[in-house]
Every structure is written in structure tokens, then in C-alpha cells.
Amino acid sequence: MPPAVRLPRTVQSLRLNMRQKDFVFKAGRELGETFRIHGAIGEEVVMTSHPDHARSLFTADPELVPSLTGESPLRPIVGPNSVLTLLGPAHMRQRKLLLPRFHGESVERYTAMIAEVAEKEIDSWPLGTPFRLGPAMQAITLDVIMSGIFGVEGVPPQGTPERDLREAIRNAVRISGRPSTQLLELLNIGRREPTRLGRRFVESLDRPVYAAIAARRREGPQEGREDVFSLLLAARYEDGQAMSDQELRDELLTLVLAGHDTTANSLSWAFERLLRSTSAYERLREEVRAGAGTDYVEAVIDETMRTRPVIPLIGRRAMAPWQLGEYSLPAGTPVLISILLLHHREDLYPRPFEFLPERFLGVKPGTYTWIPFGGGIRRCLGATLAMAEQRVVLRAIARRTDMAAPDPAPEPPRHRNVTMVPAHRTRVVVRGRRPQES
């Protein structure tokens, strides 16, 4: 077995969930690329950062190495019927159903709307006064995902279930960074149902979701509708049964929460990094304003997701004896791939702690060396949409604004549920703003 971190279980759990970056880098320096930790789920977990180990887990039969998302603190919130928490054939059925709505022409249709929402958001930003970019990015990506899932353009009308859901999601994201909420997440680990304290939080999301489902069922099928909600309502299992309200609720809530929060935080990290890497920021603005194409924009996105992956861990459970390099793991061992550690390997990325978008110019990210979207059959469904959103929003902000960081010190990562976000939500000052292009 790999060497183990020698700290009390409670200390390890707290550090992994609240100060993960410092914890895993220290363990990696002291113990190597594969080591054991004792987490909150009450058993030892093996953590690795080798691309060959990622390959072996991503390409294996999913029955042999099922995902650990069903045991994550998100399960009591999104439920057991979500594409995030389902396993085996049920997961593949949902994935095949949803995947076309997040690829190809479906994503292209969103592009103009993403640009319009971004332009309106930029116009609302104060000049010369520090503000947090994170909530602004949340507003853009939430409108985009609500449109894709519910077919509602822009902000849903007042008094509709979709508007209530939008407000409930915004409130949930706002309070999720509080220490009390982080404690709640720790208590949720390994649970199937939320704690009594967590039940109120879940109920605040359930009310508008179930109201939206009831309203759509009353309306019946609408010809020409291509939103994800309509697709799920029309879907039938092999026995001809439609999805239940509970199944719809779990899927819709997962898609809204996961579909906007991660992309918004990736955009926040992009500007947190750019404003502390002046040469990269200047080059981005110059190339965008000169109409030089998207190569450098793409490189900035790739480098941001390398240095600051929003979801820093991927989990699998080896149901059979498993080999990770020189180590032999017994059947049943939980395995975590540290995306943070893998993305900062010096043998893969020279000068790994520097923000250097140039490293991706003309270089396609490796399937097992760049894994912010995960891999294998569990790779993020919305990866194509997330990349499209980031391209459009990055270009719009770089073209129209000149920004600076009010504090030159980097914003440390803060861990919130399964994500890693800038501690101060990317505080910026807009020094100048150019008009929209006609």
C-alpha cells in the first residue's frame, strides 16, 4: 500500500475539505505521487496524481471502478436520480439522453445569447470602484443554463416557477460559502439523505423545481420546444414509463447547479490569474481587439483550468484488486485523482506554478494530463457548452474593459462543497470601458 499521511482523521478531513490545496501539495512533497489519507467517509482513501493511473481508471470497465459521486456531499442535495449520482446502465441511459443537448448545433444556438447577456452585464459594472467579478459571472452563466434547460430567454418573468428557481439558486450559491454551510457539507459526506439542518436548504430548492414540473405537466407537450426540460418530459424508459417527478427534480436541479456554477468559477479564476500576470492579460486584450482569432483565448482557458481546476478531485472505487504503479490496492479501495497535483507535475508542465497560456498555443491538452472535466464515461456532459461560454465571455470582457486587481496579492483558493473558488470572488476594478460593437 502507498505511504500514509500521519495526522488525526478529523484534522485530515478538515484540511482536505477546507484547505485542500495546501494539504495535498504538502502530502505530495513528503510522500510522492501516490499516498493514503483518512477522510471523513471513515475509511482510508488512496490519492494519486499520475496520468497513467488516471488512464487506467478512466478506461476501465465502469462496473469495476464506479464513480464516488454517489457518496459525495452533493448526493443529499441533488438526489439519487441525477446523472451525477447514478451508476451503471441507469447513468449511461441518462447520459445518452442528455448529451446531444450540450453539443454541436445546440451549443452554437446559445452563442448569440451568451454574447448578449455578457454585454448587458459588462454595461452594469461600476467604473473605478472595486467589485466582485464572481457574482457577475454567476449571473451570466445562470441565465445561459436556464435558457438551455427551460427554454426561457433572459431573466424568467416575475411570478413564474422558473424565476423562483433562479432566485433560489442564486441564494443557495450565495450562502454556500458560509462556514456553517461548509460544516453541513462535511456532515453530508456518505449520507443518502440531508441532515435535519440541510433539509431546509434542500426544501428551498425543491419548491420551485416541483412547481415548474407541475406547470409543465399541466401545459402538456408543446410543438417546437427543444429545451432539456421538454426532452426529459418526453423521454420514456424501455417499459414505456415516463420519468417521475422525483427523477425530473433530481436531473433538473443537477443540471442547473452544476451547469452554471463551475463555468462561472472558471471565468472568475481566469481573471484572477490574468490580472496578476500582466503580460498574459495585455496579450489577451491586444489579440482580441485586433481580431486575431481565438487561439490565445483558448490557451488562456486551458491554462486557467490547469492551474485552478474548479473541481480539484475525481473519485472512483476499485471493486477488484487494483494496481497503481508499484502499489497493489485491495478490492473496495476508494481512489481519488488529485487534478491539482497532476496539473502541477513538472515533468508534464515545466514551471508549473506560473501562469503561462503560451504553453497551450498549438498544443492540444492531453486526455490524461489535462483533466478538469474528468474523463471516460463520466466526463462532464457540459464541457462543450462550458468552453463555448468561456470563449465568448472572455472575448467580450477583454475587448470592452481595462481592469486591474485592487490587491496585487493572489486570491487563495477557498473550498466550497466540491469546488475550489477564489477566496474573495475575484475583486476587480474597471479602469475603462469601451462601447459595444455595433
Side-chain angles (χ1 to χ4, degrees):
M1 288 289 282
V5 173
R6 298 298 180 193
L7 287 171
R9 172 186 158 189
T10 304
V11 174
Q12 291 191 49
S13 295
L14 289 171
R15 290 189 182 176
L16 184 66
N17 285 278
M18 296 187 172
R19 297 178 59 187
Q20 186 180 132
K21 182 170 176 283
D22 295 338
F23 177 67
V24 299
F25 275 111
K26 185 174 188 294
R29 283 193 303 271
E30 294 176 354
L31 302 174
E33 64 194 17
T34 306
F35 51 87
R36 283 177 292 153
I37 61 172
H38 210 130
I41 60 175
E43 57 185 318
E44 281 199 319
V45 178
V46 171
M47 184 174 288
T48 183
S49 58
H50 198 292
D52 289 349
H53 301 170
R55 182 199 301 266
S56 77
L57 293 165
F58 290 163
T59 58
D61 181 340
E63 298 292 325
L64 288 178
V65 282
S67 171
L68 284 174
T69 52
E71 302 173 43
S72 82
L74 289 179
R75 181 190 166 100
I77 298 171
V78 300
N81 307 293
S82 147
V83 72
L84 191 67
T85 55
L86 285 169
L87 300 174
H91 167 258
M92 287 306 297
R93 182 178 62 230
Q94 292 296 79
R95 186 177 177 85
K96 286 176 182 176
L97 178 70
L98 293 167
L99 197 58
R101 289 298 186 270
F102 294 97
H103 279 260
E105 291 180 8
S106 295
V107 169
E108 288 175 18
R109 284 198 296 270
Y110 298 139
T111 304
M113 188 200 71
I114 297 167
E116 183 182 343
V117 172
E119 297 288 358
K120 286 180 182 175
E121 183 61 39
I122 291 167
D123 285 336
S124 72
W125 295 348
L127 288 173
T129 304
F131 71 101
R132 292 177 175 178
L133 194 65
M137 298 299 96
Q138 295 276 1
I140 293 171
T141 59
L142 183 54
D143 284 351
V144 171
I145 203 68
M146 289 289 290
S147 173
I149 292 172
F150 293 96
V152 179
E153 291 291 332
V155 178
Q158 194 78 41
T160 61
E162 291 84 1
R163 178 64 173 265
D164 292 342
L165 177 60
R166 182 179 185 272
E167 296 309 311
I169 293 289
R170 291 183 69 181
N171 185 56
V173 170
R174 185 169 61 250
I175 68 173
S176 64
R178 295 176 183 170
S180 57
T181 310
Q182 290 179 294
L183 176 61
L184 187 64
E185 288 156 7
L186 279 172
L187 295 174
N188 275 343
I189 293 174
R191 294 179 63 96
R192 292 185 174 272
E193 298 294 330
T195 61
R196 185 160 48 165
L197 285 172
R199 223 167 283 144
R200 262 187 280 173
F201 179 82
V202 172
E203 286 169 0
S204 71
L205 298 170
D206 280 352
R207 280 190 294 272
V209 174
Y210 281 120
I213 293 169
R216 280 289 182 98
R217 289 206 190 278
R218 286 195 300 270
E219 286 177 12
Q222 301 288 313
E223 193 174 339
R225 263 192 157 154
E226 296 186 346
D227 55 272
V228 172
F229 195 178
S230 298
L231 173 77
L232 293 173
L233 282 167
R236 294 294 181 272
Y237 295 121
E238 291 84 353
D239 61 1
Q241 287 290 314
M243 293 177 72
S244 68
D245 284 4
Q246 174 73 50
E247 290 172 316
L248 285 168
R249 174 263 181 211
D250 291 358
E251 205 64 89
L252 291 169
L253 201 52
T254 298
L255 293 171
V256 174
L257 283 169
H260 91 284
D261 191 47
T262 49
T263 306
N265 285 316
S266 194
L267 283 163
S268 298
W269 274 125
F271 284 98
E272 190 282 331
R273 296 286 78 204
L274 283 164
L275 297 183
R276 289 158 181 87
S277 309
T278 52
S279 61
Y281 182 48
E282 287 169 7
R283 180 170 179 179
L284 175 68
R285 284 182 300 170
E286 286 169 8
E287 296 211 3
V288 167
R289 292 173 186 183
T294 62
D295 286 356
Y296 197 72
V297 173
E298 195 86 10
V300 166
I301 296 168
D302 292 345
E303 180 70 344
T304 298
M305 298 184 84
R306 179 192 74 80
T307 59
R308 295 293 187 270
V310 172
I311 297 178
L313 292 173
I314 299 169
R316 300 286 188 269
R317 186 179 288 278
M319 303 305 291
W322 207 262
Q323 198 74 23
L324 291 181
E326 63 186 295
Y327 302 114
S328 301
L329 314 185
T333 303
V335 182
L336 295 175
I337 303 169
S338 172
I339 304 176
L340 265 175
L341 289 179
L342 193 156
H343 282 187
H344 285 81
R345 290 177 65 104
E346 199 155 8
D347 57 343
L348 299 176
Y349 301 103
R351 297 155 64 191
F353 293 94
E354 295 183 42
F355 185 77
L356 301 171
E358 292 76 13
R359 73 172 90 239
F360 286 105
L361 286 175
V363 177
K364 186 178 179 182
T367 305
Y368 305 109
T369 57
W370 186 86
I371 55 171
F373 293 115
I377 64 162
R378 306 292 305 201
R379 190 173 190 270
C380 175
L381 268 174
T384 301
L385 175 60
M387 292 298 287
E389 284 185 89
Q390 290 183 81
R391 287 185 207 106
V392 173
V393 176
L394 265 175
R395 286 180 64 83
I397 295 174
R399 184 179 62 249
R400 293 197 55 204
T401 67
D402 297 310
M403 295 196 300
D407 183 351
E411 292 194 22
R414 182 175 184 180
H415 294 275
R416 194 192 66 198
N417 50 62
V418 297
T419 62
M420 185 175 78
V421 303
H424 308 300
R425 307 293 303 280
T426 307
R427 294 188 76 243
V428 301
V429 178
V430 177
R431 303 292 189 199
R433 180 168 51 219
R434 306 171 86 187
Q436 291 188 36
E437 290 182 345
S438 54

